[in-house]
Structure formats: structure tokens, C-alpha cells
Amino acid sequence: PCDRDGVLGALLATQERAQAPQNQLDEMKHETSTAVIEVDGSTSPRLSSAIHRSPSSADVRRHFLLFAVPRLLRQLEWYRSSQRGDREGSFRWRGTKPTEPDHTFASGLDDFPRGVLHTVEDEHVDLLAWIAFASRTWASLARSLRTQDAAAADAVGVTEAVIAREEALSRQFAQRLHERHWSDAAQFF
């Protein structure tokens, strides 16, 4: 399910829910982890897996894209808004709790410690990379939908203008990633 703000909440199977730590189940809306969805009754595949597993039948694929693409855009817009950094074009994972300041639940890597002292200067390279990749992936899926059925794409708000905006944002985010985080000396981000 995707709410009107674009949050795709985690849908966990009963067994997974029983094994998940309570603090992860209690994540608040502004701390939601990267999306997990349920497709065709399977147990919580990651969203990218769901996209790659989408059916090959053109009609079924079109229906899947008509369903998924607008929701994915809302989720992407939600991430860009809720995880926005203080510098233009930057992002930082939010969602640490005072009782667990070294874990950032929104990143989905809640067992991966991060710095305890958070400042407005924080920028997370992994999130910027994810946003750039997600924008490019969304534009690719949206183009596929428009190629199959432009009228239906228009009806759900997947217009050429929106796709062009996402393609431009993807390029901008990728450029910022390289400008701000690439080290020529070390040859890594």
C-alpha cells in the first residue's frame, strides 16, 4: 500500500513480523525504511525485485506499470522531501531515536551504525546515490509505460514533462554525487 504522501510501508509476512524487533515495527511515518512490498502473495520482496519479476505479458506488464509507476513517483518525492539535507541537492537519513542515536532506521540499514553526533552538515552519500538511481529507474519505467500506452500514462499523471523532470533530476543528483563525494586521490566515494 502506498499512502497519499508516497510512503510504501513494509508488508511483512506473519513469521517475519514475529521475528522483527519491536523498535523496527514501531517506525514512525517519517522514519519509514526503504520500501518492501508484497507481489502476487510472495513474501516481501524488495521493490527492485518486484520490478524485475514483473510479468512478461505486455498487457499484464502495462497494468503493473500503471499501478506501480505513479506510486513509485510519490514514494520518490516523499524521500526527496522527508530526507532532504540542509544544503541544496543534499540528503541525509533521518529517523534516529534518542535512545539509539547511532542507528538510522530510515536507511533500512538499522544494524549499521552511523555517527552519533548529527549536524546540519550531514550528507549521506548512500542516500544521494539511491535518490539518483531511483530517479533514473523511475524515468525508465515511466518511459516504458508511455511507449506501451501514452493515453493511459497521461491519465495517471505520467506525462513527458514529468519524465523529463525526473531524468533531469537524476542527472543533477549524479553530478552532485561526483562533485561532492568523489575522491580522485582515493578513487572512491
Side-chain angles (χ1 to χ4, degrees), residues 17-133:
R17 186 170 294 282
Q19 294 172 354
Q22 189 61 42
N23 63 342
Q24 292 176 18
L25 295 175
D26 293 339
E27 290 177 354
M28 295 176 61
K29 187 174 182 177
H30 64 280
E31 300 170 5
T32 298
S33 179
T34 49
V36 178
I37 62 172
E38 189 170 326
V39 177
D40 297 331
S42 61
T43 305
S44 306
R46 286 272 172 215
L47 187 55
S48 59
S49 297
I51 291 167
H52 294 295
R53 289 181 182 173
S54 63
S56 58
S57 161
D59 192 48
V60 174
R61 181 172 169 76
R62 183 180 67 82
H63 280 74
F64 174 79
L65 291 173
L66 280 168
F67 172 81
V69 168
R71 288 164 177 79
L72 291 171
L73 180 59
R74 284 199 312 268
Q75 185 206 25
L76 180 56
E77 290 170 338
W78 176 83
Y79 264 103
R80 288 194 303 236
S81 169
S82 68
Q83 306 299 308
R84 180 178 43 243
D86 291 296
R87 286 178 58 189
E88 176 69 28
S90 71
F91 298 94
R92 64 187 185 102
W93 290 115
R94 299 176 188 268
T96 57
K97 296 178 178 12
T99 57
E100 300 175 69
D102 61 337
H103 293 277
T104 306
F105 291 99
S107 72
L109 297 173
D110 23 304
D111 59 346
F112 180 77
R114 294 189 182 263
V116 175
L117 302 174
H118 303 284
T119 71
V120 296
E121 299 295 318
D122 284 350
E123 293 185 25
H124 294 128
V125 65
D126 58 332
L127 180 55
L128 179 55
W130 187 89
I131 294 287
F133 175 77

